[in-house]
Amino acid sequence: AAAAVPGPFVIDGELVGEKYHAFDLLATADDWRGTTYADRLAELEARFGAIGCAAFAVAPAVFGASAKKAFVEGLRAAGREGAVFKDLEAPWTAGRPSSGGSQLKCKFWASCSCVVTGVNAQRSVEVSLSGRPVGNVTIPPNFNLPSVGRVVEIRYLYVAGENGSL
């Protein structure tokens, strides 16, 4: 769908299921990375906003505190993973800072206490609820690796599949 837009371009976005959500324009024949997000967003919407299909969409931008609050509540109610807030005056920067920066990602975590039922390679453990395995959890480097039988508090985004994996 995006290939129908004339000229060269580089867009940033995320593939969710079968749909690509474009949220930034990095380049056309010109490099847009040094311009403000407001300018990049306006150009992204002008070039790609008219594409209306099941496989591609420009991610919606919402302005004003009350509109943002309502939008985030709608995302939560729809079971989405979260939202990203961007500084309209910021140029594009590569990567994700561990704190601060011109973009804030708000993930809609849930948490629960699980029992560690196995220790895996690569700083990960298998966890269970009521004796039923519900997935594997990566342990951050600033935490000790828990032993089998220990109860741990985990954060997860959603429950998936028939077996209820977290």
Side-chain angles (χ1 to χ4, degrees), residues 43-98:
E43 188 67 17
L44 177 70
E45 289 175 340
R47 288 179 184 251
F48 298 92
I51 298 174
C53 70
F56 184 93
V58 172
V62 182
F63 303 93
S66 61
K68 288 177 186 177
K69 183 177 180 183
F71 184 70
V72 167
E73 288 171 359
L75 291 173
R76 279 186 195 271
R80 305 294 183 180
E81 290 187 9
V84 175
F85 300 91
K86 293 187 173 202
D87 180 347
L88 288 172
E89 298 302 313
W92 181 83
T93 55
R96 291 187 310 194
S98 58

Side-chain angles (χ1 to χ4, degrees), residues 14 23 28 47 52 54 69 71 79-80 96 103 113 115 118 120 122-123 139 152 156:
E14 183 173 357
F23 48 75
T28 56
R47 288 179 184 251
K69 183 177 180 183
F71 184 70
R80 305 294 183 180
R96 291 187 310 194
Q103 302 178 49
S113 299
V115 176
N120 307 318
Q122 306 286 323
R123 297 198 52 79
I139 307 300
V152 293
Y156 63 95

